[in-house]
Amino acid sequence: MDQAGARREPTMRDVAALAKVSTKTVSRVINGLPGAGQEVVDRVRAAARTLGYRPNLTASSLRRSDRRSATIGVLFEDLSNPFDSALLRAVEDRARQGGVLVLAGSSEDDRALQGELLISLSARRVDGVVVMAAGGHQDALQQERERGTPMVLVDRPPTFGGTDCVTTTNRDSSREAVLQLAALGHRDIAFLGDRRTLWTSQERYTGYLEGLAQAGLTLREELVRTDLHGADLAETATTALLDLDRPPTALFTAQNLVTVGSMRVLRARGLHHRVALIGFDDFPLADMLEPGITVVRQDVPGIGRKAAELIFARIDGDTSPPVHAVVPAALVRRGSGEIAPSAH
Amino acid sequence: MDQAGARREPTMRDVAALAKVSTKTVSRVINGLPGAGQEVVDRVRAAARTLGYRPNLTASSLRRSDRRSATIGVLFEDLSNPFDSALLRAVEDRARQGGVLVLAGSSEDDRALQGELLISLSARRVDGVVVMAAGGHQDALQQERERGTPMVLVDRPPTFGGTDCVTTTNRDSSREAVLQLAALGHRDIAFLGDRRTLWTSQERYTGYLEGLAQAGLTLREELVRTDLHGADLAETATTALLDLDRPPTALFTAQNLVTVGSMRVLRARGLHHRVALIGFDDFPLADMLEPGITVVRQDVPGIGRKAAELIFARIDGDTSPPVHAVVPAALVRRGSGEIAPSAH
DNA sequence: CTGAAAGCGCTAACAG
DNA sequence: CTGTTAGCGCTTTCAG
């Protein structure tokens, strides 16, 4: 047995020859279609088994009128990110129910790469795609969509029309977080955000502003730090904030890794029990830290299920108007967001 | 624009007609093959662009002599698990370099499901598969392998021959962990493991036994708890252990979620600074807990890269003898594993 | 350098 | 109930 595996795969013709029927009859049996006598069915099945026959879906879908590949594409930012992988899993679960497989790729939030992957998916004639759009213009996505490919965007909405999307309550939940901090008496609440090109970052920032305004607080621009891509940049930014003459007494970290970066600095300075912290996006073990980290938790499986539901409905021909589904997030109070401002 | 996208896709024939050449010439141009005059190339490219032509890889691979689908299958236990998703990402990165896409699925450690997914992958004629074998017999895997499908197992070795695999130093690293605990003076070291059907669990248990033996400690069977699938079961088991008349002074938790479960109980009882803990598998934020959690860290990207390397070599016809690559894990000391036994 | 004919494995559309 | 013919979109083979 060699790994290359050179011997020819048996085809329907081989099965037909052995069972002494036509290929059409084999096709019927293999696909479980009616119109084949029991005896013939048994004969064909036996022949298929002895030959080790395996249907070739790519050949089948090429010829079939519906042209389905029973495969969808999933294009997220980074499949090793917990948010993305939980989303993938939710989509996969739903896909499996329909015998559909998932081609998965990471775009790294890079438009060029995303475009290439989209072309690769398209070349394989996937039935639809679920995409976490890379920041900036979405020309490639729009083009693919306009070619007729069913598409659902997740996490971030399309900048073009006619396309479904599923997002969470970025703005409302951010406002809620800020209002909770303000209610505790915080007046100097910092905002630490991911790249500004990301729609989610913008929404969360807007929610922050709304929260401040609603609480009657004035925005201190030096308390706003954005474009923090990764925990390292977040650490630097947090350090700078704490070194201000009038440092913030509470932090709203608008993304996962930013939260982690800020936490590290707070702990390193022994401030984790004095400076309040609310993060957007939950993460494993957030409840086991001291204090537990208060977060805005997205319903990731819910988002994934909804996205899958939408894409399969579209694939099945649903032509109702495009939907923008918003799956609610919830504030999970664990301690870090319930710290009152410390007296000087 | 409707989501169903009904209009017919342009084919090579359409491009050929518009460019006034034969389909063969279009094929040459699209695939960048030599033997086409510059002027013709330009004409074909222009025609393809105006029609919005996209090559159909499934049709192409059906006809081509190498029969490659430029797609591989990845069948892990749970794609939403950090270990699995990090592995997927590593494989994906390597695949991308060769223009290969990844069909990903979760087997949930269920043989039947794994078998179905394997058939689905096979029906799509993937060029190879990277599999985390479900526990128990591996008949389906073996069968697929014997059909000639290039295959690499990760995390767990095959129970059949002729197949590559990539694992980590389960036994050696477990022994090292136990020896470190013994060196601190611990004599009652508990073992908490995942399902015994898993090869990794068995190996880690063997390493535990070797560690005890090498340290001159006798095995206390009531300190061994296995089949702890999930954090909840681990919590129960940890509670039971701590309630023993002579409870363990150190825990070796042989899997991710088991570690988390044990940690929860230790914290709940205020024992996290008194009972030593070493876990197998790192997890995010393990360094931010109090104390930091000492773990055996696998080189997950390294495992993924190696698996990808092997599968692509086999796909490219490498017929050298099967390899069992072992990627070293490392003990990461963070505090919890450096706690000495507390005086009564 | 270019093209015509054949056919990859399968299913649609019709006959019988 | 079963078979025949044609052809999905592409590449191979071989002939110009």
Side-chain angles (χ1 to χ4, degrees):
Chain A
M1 175 172 54
D2 69 348
Q3 284 264 10
R7 71 178 179 285
R8 201 178 66 83
E9 284 266 332
T11 73
M12 268 193 178
R13 255 167 72 159
D14 302 322
V15 176
L18 184 59
K20 304 206 187 305
V21 294
S22 72
T23 59
K24 176 68 214 182
T25 298
V26 177
S27 173
R28 279 192 269 254
V29 173
I30 294 297
N31 294 298
L33 296 175
Q38 189 55 49
E39 200 217 339
V40 174
V41 168
D42 293 342
R43 227 164 60 223
V44 170
R45 290 232 176 92
R49 184 150 328 143
T50 55
L51 290 177
Y53 170 76
R54 290 279 174 99
N56 184 330
L57 191 71
T58 87
S60 145
S61 83
L62 181 62
R63 190 60 183 85
R64 194 171 351 191
S65 50
D66 67 7
R67 275 302 209 297
R68 296 276 175 83
S69 60
T71 306
I72 63 168
V74 159
L75 220 43
F76 291 166
E77 181 169 337
D78 176 6
L79 293 174
S80 69
N81 178 316
F83 179 78
D84 298 33
S85 63
L87 216 45
L88 170 62
R89 185 65 157 85
V91 172
E92 187 212 339
D93 283 344
R94 174 65 183 70
R96 175 149 61 222
Q97 294 170 25
V100 170
L101 250 41
V102 177
L103 272 168
S106 302
S107 72
E108 290 169 15
D109 197 41
D110 175 326
R111 278 201 306 277
L113 183 49
Q114 180 177 268
E116 285 170 33
L117 289 168
L118 209 55
I119 289 174
S120 288
L121 291 172
S122 170
R124 285 161 182 80
R125 295 299 189 267
V126 292
D127 299 331
V129 289
V130 179
V131 184
M132 192 178 288
H137 73 75
Q138 300 178 349
D139 297 2
L141 291 177
Q142 178 168 13
Q143 191 186 331
E144 184 65 27
R145 178 70 197 88
E146 283 169 357
R147 295 178 58 79
T149 307
M151 182 180 292
V152 173
L153 295 208
V154 286
D155 196 50
R156 307 152 199 178
T159 55
F160 52 94
T163 305
D164 297 323
C165 82
V166 186
T167 62
T168 191
T169 49
N170 288 288
R171 193 187 294 201
D172 290 352
S173 296
S174 297
R175 184 180 50 225
E176 188 189 346
V178 171
L179 282 174
Q180 140 135 351
L181 292 170
L184 289 166
H186 291 283
R187 302 188 40 107
D188 300 297
I189 305 172
F191 175 90
L192 294 96
D194 199 350
R195 281 175 288 198
R196 273 175 301 183
T197 51
L198 291 176
W199 177 81
T200 49
S201 292
Q202 295 161 15
E203 285 292 294
R204 293 169 194 179
Y205 179 58
T206 304
Y208 165 78
L209 293 178
E210 289 178 357
L212 290 185
Q214 205 167 321
L217 299 176
T218 39
L219 170 68
R220 286 178 57 202
E221 291 197 9
E222 70 271 30
L223 295 189
V224 174
R225 307 285 158 136
T226 59
D227 292 312
L228 272 24
H229 186 52
D232 289 348
L233 289 174
E235 285 191 36
T236 310
T238 307
T239 302
L241 282 170
L242 296 175
D243 285 340
L244 288 174
D245 285 342
R246 188 175 142 201
T249 61
L251 310 180
F252 175 55
T253 50
Q255 198 258 3
N256 230 319
L257 294 175
V258 176
T259 306
V260 172
S262 289
M263 270 168 35
R264 283 194 205 282
V265 174
L266 290 181
R267 298 179 86 76
R269 298 206 172 191
L271 291 172
H272 48 301
H273 289 287
R274 308 201 62 195
V275 174
L277 174 68
I278 299 184
F280 206 108
D281 278 347
D282 200 2
F283 51 89
L285 303 186
D287 59 324
M288 303 221 23
L289 296 165
E290 272 302 325
I293 306 298
T294 296
V295 297
V296 174
R297 173 159 61 197
Q298 297 195 51
D299 177 9
V300 186
I303 294 172
R305 273 195 304 271
K306 185 68 192 174
E309 190 186 296
L310 285 169
I311 196 71
F312 288 116
R314 296 308 187 180
I315 290 171
D316 288 342
D318 179 355
T319 56
S320 54
V323 170
H324 180 162
V326 180
V327 178
L331 190 64
V332 181
R333 296 178 174 80
R334 297 198 178 107
S336 75
E338 288 67 39
I339 298 172
S342 51
H344 249 36
Chain B
M1 175 172 51
D2 70 346
Q3 287 262 12
R7 71 177 179 290
R8 200 179 67 81
E9 284 265 332
T11 73
M12 268 194 177
R13 254 164 76 157
D14 302 323
V15 176
L18 183 59
K20 303 205 188 304
V21 293
S22 72
T23 58
K24 175 64 212 182
T25 298
V26 176
S27 173
R28 277 194 269 256
V29 173
I30 295 297
N31 294 297
L33 296 175
Q38 188 55 50
E39 199 216 342
V40 175
V41 169
D42 293 342
R43 227 165 59 222
V44 170
R45 291 232 176 92
R49 182 150 328 145
T50 54
L51 290 177
Y53 170 76
R54 290 278 176 102
N56 184 330
L57 191 71
T58 88
S60 144
S61 83
L62 180 62
R63 191 61 184 83
R64 196 176 352 212
S65 50
D66 66 7
R67 274 307 178 34
R68 297 276 176 81
S69 60
T71 305
I72 62 169
V74 159
L75 220 44
F76 291 166
E77 181 169 338
D78 176 5
L79 293 174
S80 69
N81 178 315
F83 179 78
D84 297 33
S85 63
L87 216 45
L88 170 62
R89 186 64 157 84
V91 173
E92 187 213 339
D93 282 345
R94 174 64 183 71
R96 176 149 60 222
Q97 295 169 24
V100 170
L101 249 42
V102 177
L103 272 168
S106 303
S107 72
E108 290 168 16
D109 198 39
D110 175 325
R111 277 201 307 276
L113 183 49
Q114 182 176 84
E116 285 171 32
L117 289 169
L118 209 55
I119 289 174
S120 288
L121 291 171
S122 170
R124 286 162 181 79
R125 296 299 189 266
V126 293
D127 300 330
V129 289
V130 179
V131 184
M132 193 177 289
H137 72 75
Q138 301 177 350
D139 297 2
L141 291 177
Q142 178 169 14
Q143 192 186 332
E144 183 65 27
R145 178 70 197 87
E146 283 170 356
R147 295 177 57 79
T149 306
M151 182 181 292
V152 173
L153 296 208
V154 285
D155 197 48
R156 307 152 200 179
T159 55
F160 52 94
T163 304
D164 296 324
C165 82
V166 186
T167 61
T168 192
T169 49
N170 288 288
R171 191 187 295 197
D172 291 351
S173 295
S174 297
R175 184 180 51 223
E176 188 188 347
V178 171
L179 282 174
Q180 140 134 351
L181 291 169
L184 288 165
H186 291 282
R187 304 188 41 107
D188 299 296
I189 305 171
F191 176 89
L192 295 98
D194 199 349
R195 283 175 287 199
R196 272 175 303 182
T197 52
L198 292 175
W199 176 80
T200 49
S201 292
Q202 296 161 14
E203 285 291 295
R204 293 169 194 178
Y205 179 60
T206 305
Y208 164 79
L209 293 179
E210 289 179 356
L212 291 185
Q214 204 166 321
L217 300 176
T218 40
L219 170 68
R220 287 180 55 203
E221 292 197 7
E222 70 271 32
L223 295 189
V224 174
R225 308 284 158 139
T226 57
D227 291 310
L228 274 21
H229 187 52
D232 289 349
L233 289 174
E235 286 191 35
T236 312
T238 306
T239 302
L241 282 170
L242 296 174
D243 286 340
L244 288 175
D245 285 341
R246 186 175 143 200
T249 60
L251 309 179
F252 175 55
T253 50
Q255 197 258 4
N256 230 320
L257 294 174
V258 177
T259 306
V260 172
S262 289
M263 270 169 31
R264 283 192 207 283
V265 174
L266 290 181
R267 300 181 83 78
R269 298 208 172 188
L271 290 173
H272 47 303
H273 289 288
R274 308 201 61 195
V275 173
L277 174 68
I278 300 185
F280 207 110
D281 278 346
D282 200 2
F283 50 87
L285 302 186
D287 58 324
M288 303 218 31
L289 296 165
E290 272 302 323
I293 306 299
T294 296
V295 298
V296 174
R297 174 160 60 195
Q298 296 196 51
D299 177 9
V300 187
I303 294 171
R305 271 195 305 271
K306 186 68 193 173
E309 190 187 296
L310 285 169
I311 195 71
F312 288 116
R314 295 307 186 182
I315 290 171
D316 289 342
D318 179 355
T319 56
S320 54
V323 169
H324 180 162
V326 179
V327 179
L331 189 64
V332 181
R333 296 176 174 82
R334 297 198 178 111
S336 74
E338 287 66 38
I339 298 172
S342 51
H344 246 33

